[in-house]
């Protein structure tokens, strides 16, 4: 929401790379959880990844608050 119009392309590229990494690494990570824990490993692995993502998102929201003008 705070990206200048001159940096939209770079932001879009970063989001595309993050999506691609998740699409490649996600199934591999979840497969590892399932190999160790069985079928329940899918749900545990997804929960762990979602919690990590939520914690990072919260950190970024708090850290990058736009100062009041």
């Amino acid at each position: 929401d705070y990206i200048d119009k001159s940096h939209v392309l770079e932001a879009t590229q970063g989001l595309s790379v993050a999506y691609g990494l998740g699409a490649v690494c996600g199934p591999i990570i979840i497969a590892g959880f399932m190999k160790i824990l069985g079928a329940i490993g899918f749900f545990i692995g997804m929960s762990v990844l979602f919690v990590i993502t939520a914690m990072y998102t919260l950190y970024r929201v708090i850290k990058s608050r736009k100062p009041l003008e």
Side-chain angles (χ1 to χ4, degrees), residues 2-13:
Y2 305 120
I3 298 173
D4 293 333
K5 290 184 180 186
S6 61
H7 298 291
V8 171
L9 181 61
E10 290 88 359
T12 303
Q13 290 172 342

Side-chain angles (χ1 to χ4, degrees), residues 2 14 16-17 21 23 26 30 38-39 44-45 51 63 66:
Y2 305 120
S16 294
V17 168
L21 285 173
I30 296 301
I44 293 172
V51 167
K63 184 180 178 222
K66 192 172 184 179

